[in-house]
């Protein structure tokens, strides 16, 4: 058996949570491999909406085990809040949610460091989610971090105080109060002990040997990847398929299907380049019709047309074998929409690759007629209006990857398998 992967091909919020929830009955195990509470994955079913930040989106399926893998950074307070919310739906999470022992902990001071870093950057700020992600991964790489497995150690508190002191030294000129959060943090740490804490690599490799079906759920999107993304306006983890190997402890030859998910247009939260961004009425309309507000921070998402150059780049980085398109219903009745087929540089040179520096890059746009029919009525690809069918063929032809799912609404049921 191999591990299938589902990840975002844009700047996040492509609808990963919804689609993982749809696919999860086919999987024995769903695992997060990177990121942390910067993620906001929305699931809607039975007229109920859930936003998950740390817990994998297979959590509402009775027979699916959900794992938070080694590559994740976890804030125990946010995690326990989420656990309480979901427990109200009658699910006993200590049975089907396991934590990997090398998952890094986000400390209360990591959040303060995140805010301090942003403040010091001033106008060049990243626009982080403020959850302490960058500082937590910085401590991991600089060999200073605490793992979930450490909470069982006798000297856990001492280790915590050592790291906190380093943070306080860095934050000397700042005024802040973490006492209340720290109390909640230690209470949440105690509750983590109720969960099954696993060795990630052993768990996943044994599960594969036993023939278990596993889905790795990405957070953020490829263009926010620490290596492949629009650096420095990125997150601090390996968002791409490579992150599944390091984040779960499995070899590259254990990767199976790679589902790459994208919106029929593009959005971005936070700062950084965005070649197809719209500043006109069309941008406002996409924002309104798509309800484009961040699921974690509530910030307005910047909106623009689909960027085919960036999409092809993300497919290449991840080895995408199947595409999933979401929010096609938002373009319904729009009249028209556009796609950036190529880029133009400031020297008027046309390029068809994703350059390292996107400054002064302009999109070369192709116009399409949008569909008018209510897509929610469509149960299969043949029910799709001709314009949508042509659009699907166009993308498949350009990317050489089949579109296997089209999402036509936010609800679990508004999903068409092609
Ligand atoms: P994620 O971070 O990739 O899981 O995506 P988010 O949950 O942050 O953002 C996606 C938003 O679009 C959520 O509000 C979803 O409920 C919603 N959504 C997902 N798929 C569709 C779709 O096909 N059509 C519409 N209209 N909304 C969708
Ligand atoms: P999901 O999983 C959209 C963005 C932030 C900021 C940058 C760095 O819901 O798709 P960080 O807090 O990670 O240091 O912020 O990354 N960002 C996201 N944008 N969706 C997300 O996750 C994001 N997680 C981080 O807005 O620009
Ligand atoms: Mg999101």
């Amino acid at each position: 058996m191999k591990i299938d992967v589902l990840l975002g091909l844009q700047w996040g919020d492509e609808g990963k949570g919804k689609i993982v929830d749809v696919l999860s009955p086919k999987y024995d195990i769903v695992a997060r491999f990177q990121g942390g509470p910067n993620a906001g994955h929305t699931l809607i079913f039975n007229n109920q909406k859930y936003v998950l930040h740390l817990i994998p989106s297979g959590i509402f399926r009775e027979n699916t085990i959900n794992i938070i893998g080694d590559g994740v950074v976890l804030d125990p307070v946010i995690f326990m809040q989420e656990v309480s919310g979901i427990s109200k739906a009658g699910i006993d999470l200590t049975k089907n949610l396991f934590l990997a022992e090398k998952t890094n902990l986000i400390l209360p001071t990591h959040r303060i460091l995140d805010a301090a870093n942003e403040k010091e950057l001033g106008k060049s700020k990243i626009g982080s989610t403020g959850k302490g992600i960058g500082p937590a991964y910085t401590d991991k790489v600089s060999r200073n971090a605490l793992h979930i497995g450490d909470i069982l150690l006798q000297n856990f508190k001492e280790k915590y105080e050592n790291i906190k002191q380093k943070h306080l030294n860095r934050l000397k000129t700042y005024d802040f109060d973490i006492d209340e959060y720290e109390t909640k943090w230690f209470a949440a740490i105690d509750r983590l002990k109720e969960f099954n804490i696993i060795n990630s690599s052993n768990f996943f490799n044994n599960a594969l040997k036993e023939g278990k079906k596993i889905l790795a759920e990405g957070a953020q999107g490829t263009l926010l990847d620490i290596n492949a993304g629009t650096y420095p306006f990125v997150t601090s983890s390996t968002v791409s398929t490579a992150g599944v190997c390091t984040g779960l402890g499995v070899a590259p030859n254990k990767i199976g299907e790679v589902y790459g998910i994208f919106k029929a247009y593009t959005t971005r939260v936070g700062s950084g380049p965005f070649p197809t961004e719209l500043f006109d009425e069309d941008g406002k309309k996409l924002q309104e019709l798509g309800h484009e507000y961040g699921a974690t921070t509530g910030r307005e998402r910047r909106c623009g047309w689909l960027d085919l150059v960036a999409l092809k780049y993300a497919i290449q980085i991840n080895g995408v074998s199947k595409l999933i398109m979401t929010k096609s219903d938002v373009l319904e009745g729009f009249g028209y929409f556009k796609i950036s087929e190529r880029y133009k540089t400031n020297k008027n040179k046309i390029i068809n690759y994703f350059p390292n520096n996107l400054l002064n890059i302009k999109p070369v746009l192709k116009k399409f007629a949008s569909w008018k029919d209510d897509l929610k009525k469509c149960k299969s690809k043949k029910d799709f209006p001709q314009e949508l069918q042509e659009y699907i063929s166009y993308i498949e032809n350009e990317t050489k990857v089949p579109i296997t799912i089209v999402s036509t609404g936010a609800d679990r049921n508004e999903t068409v398998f092609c």
Side-chain angles (χ1 to χ4, degrees), residues 107-140:
L107 274 53
T109 36
H110 281 140
R111 296 160 64 97
I112 313 293
L113 287 166
D114 199 354
N117 291 345
E118 287 285 75
K119 186 160 183 270
E120 286 165 24
L121 282 169
K123 277 193 188 142
S124 320
K125 72 174 182 185
I126 308 297
S128 91
T129 56
K131 304 292 177 194
I133 306 296
Y137 277 115
T138 302
D139 270 347
K140 172 181 176 167

Side-chain angles (χ1 to χ4, degrees), residues 13 40-41 295 301:
D13 304 329
H41 295 180
R301 292 177 183 145

Side-chain angles (χ1 to χ4, degrees), residues 95-275:
K95 291 218 178 74
N96 66 349
L97 177 60
F98 302 171
L99 310 175
E101 60 187 349
K102 278 160 78 175
T103 302
N104 282 248
L105 291 170
I106 300 180
L107 274 53
T109 36
H110 281 140
R111 296 160 64 97
I112 313 293
L113 287 166
D114 199 354
N117 291 345
E118 287 285 75
K119 186 160 183 270
E120 286 165 24
L121 282 169
K123 277 193 188 142
S124 320
K125 72 174 182 185
I126 308 297
S128 91
T129 56
K131 304 292 177 194
I133 306 296
Y137 277 115
T138 302
D139 270 347
K140 172 181 176 167
V141 175
S142 61
R143 296 158 291 188
N144 252 317
L146 285 173
H147 290 159
I148 284 192
D150 293 337
I151 66 174
L152 304 171
L153 298 175
Q154 288 276 319
N155 63 345
F156 174 71
K157 186 85 199 291
E158 194 186 315
K159 279 172 165 272
Y160 169 86
E161 289 297 339
N162 279 337
I163 299 170
K164 179 181 156 186
Q165 195 50 54
K166 288 185 192 166
H167 295 166
L168 294 182
N169 292 343
R170 152 82 175 85
L171 291 166
K172 255 187 215 136
T173 55
Y174 287 88
D175 238 0
F176 57 92
D177 180 0
I178 54 160
D179 292 356
E180 199 186 329
Y181 204 81
E182 199 174 44
T183 306
K184 280 196 211 159
W185 194 87
F186 276 105
I189 287 283
D190 263 343
R191 296 208 47 206
L192 290 186
K193 294 173 189 161
E194 295 165 19
F195 290 82
N196 199 346
I197 298 178
I198 58 161
N199 175 304
S200 187
S201 185
N202 287 348
F203 178 89
F204 285 104
N205 285 287
N206 287 337
L208 288 172
K209 278 183 206 139
E210 286 165 18
K212 296 272 195 284
K213 293 204 73 188
I214 307 174
L215 179 66
E217 171 180 359
Q220 291 78 54
T222 306
L223 305 179
L224 288 169
D225 179 278
I226 185 70
N227 291 295
T230 47
Y231 195 90
F233 301 101
V234 292
T235 189
S236 300
S237 66
T238 302
V239 171
S240 55
T241 306
V244 177
C245 299
T246 52
L248 299 183
V250 293
N253 62 0
K254 294 289 190 299
I255 302 293
E257 295 290 353
V258 180
Y259 293 96
I261 182 164
F262 68 100
K263 277 182 195 177
Y265 49 97
T266 309
T267 62
R268 174 165 204 170
V269 212
S271 328
F274 180 176

Side-chain angles (χ1 to χ4, degrees), residues 356-393:
N356 183 33
N357 186 353
L358 284 169
L359 204 74
N360 299 322
I361 287 291
K362 297 267 175 291
V364 178
L365 296 166
K366 181 180 165 107
K367 195 169 177 180
F368 290 75
S370 75
W371 36 95
K372 295 182 194 71
D373 319 37
D374 180 3
L375 295 188
K376 295 196 191 337
K377 287 190 199 133
C378 302
K379 297 283 168 251
S380 71
K381 192 176 172 184
K382 65 175 173 22
D383 301 332
F384 283 155
Q386 201 191 334
E387 294 89 343
L388 177 55
Q389 299 212 24
E390 282 170 10
Y391 179 46
I392 292 171
S393 301

